[in-house]
């Protein structure tokens, strides 16, 4: 009898591990098999910790900041592409300029992701307010970018439409939900 009870416990533990493993693939398309990935665009992969660092830094100097993780993830994912366009248009912002601005506002050691996100946001603003060529290039990027967001951060549609996060954002895949219950 003790052997049977131990076997059931082991089977139950194995089923729990299998379920937990299935839940870590949180994208319905299977793109996000790593819960630590917040967004992807081209060769750029943004981690959830990068997003959290950027949002926390901004809120540390402005607690009323309305920056969301979703906005941070998209800016970080598109940042390198925005910076390439800014360089072509003569609208770049240096990381040292961003650091200097943060220091003036009381944030002495911003995370690299905070600097990258703020730089992308600043360059985006300059491009949208600048020459027509810069505006066209940014509009083209926004209309064609296939930013893949972890469902925890919502969705991004070409054209810049950002959708709300799905609730609940973790969904088991079909194989995990089809597993039989452990024997009792």
């Amino acid at each position: 009898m003790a052997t049977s009870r131990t076997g059931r416990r082991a089977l139950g533990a194995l089923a729990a591990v299998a379920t937990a493993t299935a839940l870590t693939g949180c994208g319905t398309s299977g793109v996000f098999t790593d819960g630590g990935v917040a967004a992807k665009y081209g060769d750029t992969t943004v981690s959830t910790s990068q997003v959290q660092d950027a949002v926390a830094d901004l809120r540390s100097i402005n607690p009323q900041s309305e920056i969301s993780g979703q906005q941070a993830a998209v800016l970080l994912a598109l940042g390198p592409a925005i910076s390439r366009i800014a360089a072509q248009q003569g609208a770049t912002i240096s990381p040292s300029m961003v650091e200097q601005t943060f220091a003036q506002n009381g944030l002495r050691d911003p995370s690299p992701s905070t600097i990258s996100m703020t730089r992308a946001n600043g360059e985006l603003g300059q491009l949208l307010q600048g020459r027509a060529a810069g505006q066209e290039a940014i509009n083209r990027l926004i209309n064609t970018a296939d930013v893949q967001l972890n469902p925890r951060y919502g969705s991004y549609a070409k054209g810049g439409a950002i959708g709300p996060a799905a609730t609940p954002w973790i969904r088991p895949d079909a194989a995990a939900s089809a597993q039989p219950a452990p024997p009792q």
Side-chain angles (χ1 to χ4, degrees):
M1 185 79 136
T3 310
S4 168
R5 192 176 306 155
T6 304
R8 281 188 225 149
R9 284 187 194 144
L11 186 57
L14 182 60
V17 169
T19 301
T21 302
L23 289 175
T24 61
C26 54
T28 56
S29 66
V31 171
F32 291 98
T33 56
D34 178 355
V37 175
K40 288 185 179 187
Y41 173 67
D43 294 335
T44 303
T45 299
V46 179
S47 71
T48 55
S49 62
Q50 288 174 298
V51 170
Q52 292 166 349
D53 289 347
V55 171
D57 279 351
L58 290 177
R59 289 189 179 152
S60 75
I61 58 173
N62 180 6
Q64 280 74 41
S65 174
E66 293 185 12
I67 184 76
S68 69
Q70 184 180 59
Q71 293 164 327
V74 170
L75 278 170
L76 286 166
L78 291 177
I82 292 169
S83 289
R84 280 191 295 277
I85 294 169
Q88 293 167 354
Q89 299 298 318
T92 59
I93 296 174
S94 72
S96 62
M97 289 172 62
V98 173
E99 287 180 43
Q100 194 173 40
T101 302
F102 278 122
Q104 292 168 353
N105 287 290
L107 182 60
R108 301 272 180 232
D109 191 22
S111 70
S113 58
T114 303
I115 294 167
S116 296
M117 183 192 71
T118 305
R119 180 180 181 200
N121 190 51
E123 289 172 341
L124 179 63
Q126 286 189 38
L127 289 164
L128 290 174
Q129 295 174 4
R131 299 186 315 230
Q135 292 174 5
E136 289 174 22
I138 283 297
N139 285 333
R140 192 170 32 259
L141 171 66
I142 290 170
N143 288 323
T144 61
D146 186 18
V147 177
Q148 299 172 339
L149 283 179
N150 182 315
R152 137 190 220 173
Y153 294 107
S155 63
Y156 179 91
K158 291 178 183 178
I162 299 176
T167 306
W169 58 271
I170 296 178
R171 296 181 189 187
D173 64 12
S177 62
Q179 291 181 355
Q184 296 183 6

